[in-house]
Amino acid sequence: MRTLFLLPDTWDLELDSSGNIAVASDIYQQSQDVASACRTFLRDVYYDQQLGIPYFESVLGQFGFPLSLYKMHLEDAAKSVDARIVSASAQLKLTGRVASGSILFTNDENQTGQINL
């Protein structure tokens, strides 16, 4: 499957040198797909209602929601993107009510990628 290239700072489309919409490739494609999967809410994907993280159901606004459970959801979403992704590890930090961190993943060619949340 091909992934449209999105600018990292604005998450907007970009044109290639021929004037066509740019397409991501290799590790950047996997990184972008992992980022998209981790931002997807459960039942937000029209063609597959099982995809996504249950943000509304069990993450957002829940007092005492275990950070380890959110970490598990992120890692599962990252590994579900591509069969070539063999491992994913989320490092999360909670400051007040704001969760931040990153996801580090490795593919079957031992290439690593990292996305910030």
Side-chain angles (χ1 to χ4, degrees):
M1 179 184 260
R2 299 178 62 115
T3 300
L4 297 178
F5 176 83
L6 301 175
L7 291 169
D9 293 334
T10 60
W11 212 246
D12 199 6
L13 296 173
E14 177 69 13
L15 299 179
D16 63 13
S17 59
S18 302
N20 299 316
I21 296 176
V23 177
S25 61
D26 300 324
I27 195 73
Y28 186 82
Q29 175 184 354
Q30 290 174 335
S31 297
Q32 187 172 292
D33 290 344
V34 166
S36 294
C38 292
R39 293 177 180 191
T40 301
F41 284 62
L42 185 63
R43 290 188 291 282
D44 206 21
V45 179
Y46 180 76
Y47 58 88
D48 189 348
Q49 298 283 296
Q50 299 304 312
L51 291 178
I53 294 176
Y55 284 111
F56 288 135
E57 294 79 5
S58 58
V59 178
L60 297 175
Q62 300 298 318
F63 179 74
F65 181 78
L67 202 55
S68 59
L69 187 56
Y70 181 45
K71 178 182 173 190
M72 182 199 70
H73 284 305
L74 292 171
E75 291 170 353
D76 288 347
K79 289 186 272 187
S80 73
V81 166
D82 187 347
R84 295 180 49 213
I85 296 177
V86 294
S87 69
S89 174
Q91 286 78 36
L92 299 175
K93 181 173 86 171
L94 192 61
T95 307
R97 293 179 48 101
V98 177
S100 61
S102 62
I103 299 175
L104 180 68
F105 67 91
T106 305
N107 66 15
D108 60 353
E109 295 176 359
N110 209 28
Q111 296 173 319
T112 59
Q114 180 175 347
I115 61 161
N116 294 321
L117 301 171

